[in-house]
Every structure is written in C-alpha cells, then in structure tokens.
C-alpha cells in the first residue's frame, strides 16, 4: 500500500483497541461473540465492520460522531493496524476494536450469521494487473459471505477510485442478484465538506483529481 506512516518518534500502544491475530481462537473453534469485545453496557448496540482501515481515519471520525454504534476495523498490514489502533486509543474511542487479520478469513471463520448492520469497504486495493485479479477482495464467494454475516436489510458500503475494479464489482454483484439490491451511496457522518467518505486515500486521490465510484448494496430478504 503506497501511503506513508509517520509517528514522529512516538511509540505506538494499541491498548485495549488492538486485537492481535495471535489472540484469536483456532479457525475450527466456531464463531466469536464479537459483542463481547466491548464493555457490558455496549453489547446490545449495533455492530459494523470496516475492512482495510489503513490509518484509521474513517473510524476515528465516524466512531466519535456515532457513539451508539460499535465498530470493528480489520487491517492485515501490521504497521497500519498498530498505527490505527493507537490512534483510536488516543482518541478514547471505546466503541472501536481493530483486529490484525485478513478480512475474508475473519468473516468466514469468526463472524456469525446476521450479526452486522453494515460492512464498510473504502478504497480497497484494486490489484489492476489481470494476473492479480484473483487477489481482489470482491469475489463471488466473498459476496455470499457478506450476505451471510449481514442482518436483514444490512448494508455493504463501497467506494473506490478505480473504474476497472468498480466495473468488476458491478459484474460480480449482478451475478448474485438474489443477494443484494443496489442503492446510491450516501455520505457518512465521517465525511468532511465536499468529501465522499473522508478517508486518507480519498484525500490523496482527490488531490490527484481521480474520479470516484461508490455504491450501497442492501441485503435482500426479511
Ligand atoms: C488502499 S488502502 C485504503 C485504506 C483506507 N480504507 C483509506 O481509504 O484510506 C487498502 C487497505 O486495506 C488493507 N487490506 C487490503 N486487503 C485486505 C484484506 N483482505 N484484509 C484486511 N485488510 C486488507 C490494506 O493493508 C490497506 O491498508
């Protein structure tokens, strides 16, 4: 991921926000009750996941503005996971946990059916070369996993700067038309004036004048 990480000499402390990959149970132990990652008075609150949190900019902004929602960020690059967890800890966000793991593995093995209100996917790595397309996050089995873990009428919210990847997403979504209904993207509270979402990559790409594409996929059914 081409983004710089400067801590200006500060040492990072993931505190209670950061969940280590090594601390997760074995894959075959069944789903985790993710609500238990939060304080007792927060277990009944809606749960949302962000995949690929990067420096944690979306989570820091969105979680502060929506304290009645619990958020789990998933980030597989250790340096970014540590940076984002430290940042959320310093902001005193008790509604955020950041887990150092791969998103597809995490959702498939640890997340129970219909427990998430929303999954946020902002500026996922586009893997532009054809031979790397198999590394893209959005794949048909992954869309089935998203539909399984979302509550009825739960949302997947996606934004990207990469037109080719967006077309790929639309093709894959069309192939599982029974799972999701597509809606226009509405700006989250995290977004600043004139922003779509308000992430680091959005800000960087906006300066470069790149066009953005975004959509909401709402899980069908009761
Ligand atoms: C292009 S960056 C975008 C970061 C942030 N969402 C933003 O908009 O600033 C993509 C991020 O997703 C992470 N990532 C990519 N694939 C992942 C996966 N399968 N599981 C967890 N993290 C992933 C990368 O390490 C990187 O931090």
């Amino acid at each position: 991921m081409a983004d710089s990480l400067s801590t200006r000499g500060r040492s990072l402390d993931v505190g209670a926000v950061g969940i280590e990959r090594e601390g997760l149970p074995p894959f075959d132990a069944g789903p985790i009750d993710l609500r238990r990652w939060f304080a007792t008075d927060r277990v009944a609150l809606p749960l949302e996941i962000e995949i690929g949190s990067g420096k944690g900019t979306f989570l820091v902004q969105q979680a502060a503005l929506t304290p009645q929602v619990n958020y789990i960020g998933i980030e597989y690059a250790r340096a970014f996971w540590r940076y984002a967890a430290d940042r959320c800890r310093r902001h005193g966000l008790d509604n955020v946990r950041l887990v150092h793991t791969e998103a597809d593995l995490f959702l498939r093995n640890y997340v129970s059916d219909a427990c998430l209100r929303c999954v946020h996917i902002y500026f996922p790595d586009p893997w532009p070369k054809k031979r790397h397309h198999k590394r893209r996050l959005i794949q048909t089995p992954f869309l089935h996993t998203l539909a399984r873990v979302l509550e009825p009428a739960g949302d997947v919210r996606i934004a990207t700067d990469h037109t080719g990847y967006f077309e790929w997403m639309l093709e894959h979504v069309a192939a599982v038309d029974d799972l999701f209904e597509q809606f226009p993207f509405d700006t989250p509270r995290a977004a600043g004036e004139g922003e779509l979402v308000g992430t680091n990559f959005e800000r960087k790409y906006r300066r470069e004048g790149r066009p953005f594409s975004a959509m909401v996929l709402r899980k069908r059914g009761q």
Side-chain angles (χ1 to χ4, degrees):
M1 175 173 117
D3 200 8
S4 61
L5 267 184
S6 166
T7 58
R8 295 194 185 88
R10 227 175 2 91
S11 60
L12 300 178
D13 174 6
V14 302
V17 173
I19 312 277
E20 297 268 7
R21 191 196 322 246
E22 296 74 18
L24 296 173
F27 286 149
D28 55 6
I32 304 172
D33 186 354
L34 297 171
R35 297 168 311 158
R36 301 284 160 203
W37 282 3
F38 299 88
T40 319
D41 60 345
R42 304 196 57 86
V43 294
L45 296 177
L47 182 61
E48 304 191 3
I49 279 185
E50 184 196 19
I51 295 177
S53 299
K55 290 183 176 177
T57 302
F58 168 72
L59 284 178
V60 163
Q61 298 166 151
Q62 184 75 3
L65 291 166
T66 55
Q68 294 309 305
V69 179
N70 289 329
Y71 292 93
I72 294 176
I74 302 177
E75 175 53 61
Y76 70 7
R78 186 171 173 81
F80 284 92
W81 166 74
R82 278 171 51 75
Y83 185 96
D86 171 76
R87 199 172 167 200
C88 292
R89 178 195 58 75
R90 283 187 289 110
H91 280 78
L93 295 169
D94 60 0
N95 56 335
V96 180
R97 295 291 180 265
L98 257 152
V99 54
H100 177 217
T101 191
E102 197 283 317
D104 183 38
L105 280 178
F106 184 79
L107 294 187
R108 269 193 288 127
N109 293 290
Y110 295 123
V111 182
S112 47
D113 296 356
C115 72
L116 303 180
R117 187 172 76 171
C118 185
V119 177
H120 304 263
I121 305 173
Y122 300 134
F123 302 91
D125 293 326
W127 296 108
K129 291 183 183 151
K130 193 157 195 238
R131 70 175 187 279
H132 291 153
H133 284 181
K134 57 181 178 296
R135 299 187 189 173
R136 287 176 166 174
L137 183 67
I138 303 298
Q139 307 281 348
T140 302
F142 185 68
L143 290 170
H144 281 275
T145 300
L146 288 173
R148 179 183 68 73
V149 296
L150 281 168
E151 295 172 354
D155 287 343
V156 186
R157 297 171 53 80
I158 304 179
T160 178
D161 63 298
H162 196 278
T163 312
Y165 193 11
F166 194 67
E167 282 164 10
W168 163 284
M169 292 176 192
L170 292 175
E171 282 165 23
H172 282 73
V173 169
V176 292
D177 188 45
D178 52 325
L179 298 184
F180 296 105
E181 192 177 355
Q182 194 185 324
F183 289 90
F185 190 84
D186 55 311
T187 302
R189 302 254 329 254
E193 184 73 29
E195 290 183 332
L196 185 66
V197 189
T199 73
N200 263 76
F201 270 75
E202 174 181 344
R203 289 171 187 165
K204 185 171 116 171
Y205 293 153
R206 196 171 280 285
R207 287 193 294 274
E208 293 172 10
R210 295 199 200 182
F212 299 134
S213 306
M215 64 180 158
V216 173
L217 303 175
R218 185 151 303 149
K219 179 176 165 176
R220 294 186 191 273
Q222 297 304 306

